[in-house]
Structure formats: C-alpha cells, structure tokens
Amino acid sequence: MRTINVEEDIRPLSEFRADAAGLLAQVRRTKRALVLTQRGHTSAVVLDASEYQRLVDELELLRDIHTATRELERGEGVPHRMAKSGALARLQG
C-alpha cells in the first residue's frame, strides 16, 4: 500500500457522503487508502479492492512463514526433498 498523503487521504465522513463516487475514483487512481474521520476521530479506511486483496494475500503468506518457522524451531520440519516429493505425489493424484 502506498503512503497516505495527509492532505488528500484523510477526509471527514460527511465529505465522503457528499462525494463518494469522486473519492472512490481517487482511491482507485492513487491506490492509496482513504481514511475517514467522524467527529475528529478516525472511523474507517477505504481501500481499492485489488490493494485489499494484495494485503490479505501478503498477511496470509507472512502467517504461513511464521507458522513454518515455529515448526522448524520445534524440530517438526521435514527435509525439502521429502516435502517436495510429497506435494508432487498429491498433485499427481
């Protein structure tokens, strides 16, 4: 995700209500999140759908890496060659 531009990307909810289409176009164009405020406090974040999916995929990968690292630290890992042959065998049916 791109860095938030404080002057362009933080808007009150009332402004979003008044110009939702324009602000959504900005989010799609810039690929930056739009932070919505309500009574001066942050209340929601609007993301481009593809940026959201990218973040979810990245988080999932990081969680998998973390899990694998913990398993290896506990000695629960298997050699690469064994894992690869097992995966290939499952794919071939």
Side-chain angles (χ1 to χ4, degrees):
M1 182 168 52
R2 298 198 169 121
T3 303
I4 291 175
N5 178 321
V6 175
E7 292 190 18
E8 293 180 14
D9 301 333
I10 300 176
R11 301 291 178 95
L13 183 58
S14 58
E15 186 178 333
F16 183 76
R17 281 191 198 120
D19 186 24
L23 291 171
L24 288 175
Q26 172 188 317
V27 168
R28 283 191 298 272
R29 184 182 72 252
T30 65
K31 302 292 185 203
R32 292 190 315 254
L34 179 65
V35 179
L36 301 178
T37 61
Q38 192 171 26
R39 293 185 212 95
H41 300 283
T42 56
S43 63
V45 176
V46 178
L47 289 173
D48 175 72
S50 64
E51 274 299 295
Y52 174 77
Q53 187 61 56
R54 189 190 65 74
L55 288 172
V56 168
D57 292 346
E58 185 175 317
L59 178 59
E60 203 172 287
L61 175 62
L62 290 171
R63 284 181 175 162
D64 289 346
I65 290 169
H66 179 73
T67 298
T69 300
R70 290 289 198 192
E71 289 173 355
L72 289 172
E73 288 171 353
R74 292 191 305 258
E76 298 172 356
V78 296
H80 175 75
R81 188 171 298 153
M82 252 178 93
K84 182 179 176 182
S85 65
L88 289 174
R90 282 192 301 266
L91 288 173
Q92 295 170 351

